[in-house]
Amino acid sequence: MQKQLFAALAAGLLATTAGAETTLRIMSFNIYGGGANDGKSVEETVAVLKAANPDIVGLQETRVEGDECTAESCPAGGPSVAREIAEAMGYYYYDQTQENVALWANAILSRYPIGAASAHDLGVPIDVEGQTVWAFNIHLDDEPYQPYQLLGIEYGPAPFIKTEAEAQDWANRTRGPAMDLLFADMQAAEGAAAVLVFGDFNEPSEHDWTDAAVAAGQQPVKVDWPTTHRLSEAGFVDTYRAANPDPVAKPAYTWTPQGDEKDPEDHHDRIDFAFAKADGLKVLGGWIVGETGLRTDLAVDPWPSDHRATLAEISY
């Protein structure tokens, strides 16, 4: 009788464990060379991460901009600060050192152990308490930049454009090859408990350039941006917009905390994302992390980057 009771209790415990939800805080953050492009110490970037307390984070621009930096070409210079940040946080890290069209000085940090990277260096498996979670982290080309093309803002040699179709065409030409690499690498994540995609996309969201946003004067035309749409079609959830579905009430500008939003020579927008895909996925919250101000949900001062970060809490 005791053996049967023990077996029943053990079976119940296993069922409870198997059915338990996993909760993760995930973050995407372009760190602007760890602040070094503005002569700041990496401690300010570490302070942001400690305040946000992510479990897994995709970092972009872990190295500084090189001396020869133009709209068409801006090679990274100096060493990556990913290791220094990871050691300060007590995290595991992976520096994405391969050179291809989907990377520009990227790294992935995690509270949990990290495994071997995918073929094009875009993602790594992470052992989250016995479950495999794949994290992918990209940094896409910023030139030509379609919001500037639409608004007549000079940036590189690309022509000005007027329509949604033109914007989509130029976006596909600019970032399509990088997304092809991402989707090739994501084949390695088949069967994972969850798949995450972080990045500075240098392209807005399909959920932000809406008719309502145009009517509110936030955007010049409606555009279903193709890069984020490819992920949506593949079953990924834009975690910030899932938690904050109204782009007029919460435009969530990650580009940029610098300058005036009314400056005719720039355009503030959301181009930094944390996407997630998992069976039973729930988005428990989504926040913009930045300097104290109107566009920030979680404020950290002084702010070290020319981008704000995006943070979300998910369960599955």
Side-chain angles (χ1 to χ4, degrees):
M1 183 69 172
Q2 287 179 328
K3 288 183 180 179
Q4 290 175 331
L5 179 60
F6 176 77
L9 288 171
L13 178 60
L14 287 171
T16 301
T17 302
E21 288 189 343
T22 298
T23 300
L24 292 173
R25 286 172 71 86
I26 61 174
M27 183 178 187
S28 186
F29 187 16
N30 180 322
I31 63 173
Y32 199 42
N37 285 311
D38 276 344
K40 297 185 176 186
S41 72
V42 76
E43 282 78 13
E44 290 187 13
T45 301
V46 172
V48 171
L49 291 170
K50 286 184 175 179
N53 192 32
D55 297 301
I56 302 172
V57 54
L59 299 180
Q60 305 88 40
E61 298 195 24
T62 60
R63 301 166 63 194
V64 296
E65 297 173 351
D67 294 334
E68 305 271 335
C69 188
T70 66
E72 296 103 300
S73 176
C74 189
S80 169
V81 295
R83 179 177 180 176
E84 186 177 355
I85 293 171
E87 289 178 348
M89 295 289 295
Y91 280 19
Y92 300 90
Y93 80 102
Y94 178 72
D95 252 321
Q96 297 166 267
T97 57
Q98 192 177 127
E99 294 186 8
N100 62 51
V101 293
L103 293 174
W104 197 100
N106 289 37
I108 296 168
L109 273 62
S110 169
R111 195 185 302 275
Y112 304 99
I114 294 173
S118 55
H120 298 104
D121 218 24
L122 303 188
V124 292
I126 298 173
D127 182 354
V128 179
E129 298 177 347
Q131 294 183 335
T132 298
V133 172
W134 271 85
F136 295 88
N137 182 36
I138 57 178
H139 188 180
L140 306 184
D141 200 344
D142 68 345
E143 194 281 322
Y145 186 55
Q146 285 68 63
Y148 290 174
Q149 288 180 277
L150 286 165
L151 288 159
I153 298 172
E154 294 281 355
Y155 188 70
F160 297 145
I161 58 178
K162 294 183 179 180
T163 68
E164 176 183 28
E166 289 175 309
Q168 291 170 330
D169 176 51
W170 277 99
N172 280 322
R173 286 197 251 171
T174 305
R175 297 170 203 92
M179 293 301 289
D180 291 342
L181 282 187
L182 173 63
F183 274 82
D185 268 19
M186 286 198 299
Q187 293 179 31
E190 187 174 349
V195 183
L196 313 172
V197 178
F198 305 109
D200 174 356
F201 281 40
N202 278 308
E203 183 177 314
S205 166
E206 61 175 336
H207 301 302
D208 293 359
W209 282 52
T210 62
D211 288 326
V214 173
Q218 292 175 346
Q219 310 298 355
V221 295
K222 181 191 80 68
V223 181
D224 287 331
W225 292 102
T227 300
T228 54
H229 185 68
R230 282 185 70 171
L231 287 169
S232 297
E233 279 193 319
F236 284 86
V237 172
D238 175 346
T239 55
Y240 181 84
R241 196 50 79 206
N244 304 275
D246 186 346
V248 175
K250 297 285 286 187
Y253 300 147
T254 60
W255 173 260
T256 173
Q258 300 177 344
D260 188 338
E261 289 182 12
K262 296 180 181 179
D263 181 358
E265 296 305 313
D266 204 349
H267 183 67
H268 292 236
D269 221 322
R270 186 170 70 107
I271 59 174
D272 302 87
F273 303 100
F275 282 87
K277 180 180 180 180
D279 289 340
L281 178 71
K282 298 175 185 175
V283 179
L284 307 178
W287 307 274
I288 298 301
V289 188
E291 81 294 357
T292 296
L294 177 65
R295 302 304 183 191
T296 295
D297 301 308
L298 173 60
V300 184
D301 298 301
W303 186 252
S305 177
D306 63 343
H307 286 242
R308 298 183 184 99
T310 185
L311 174 71
E313 186 167 305
I314 64 170
S315 68
Y316 54 89

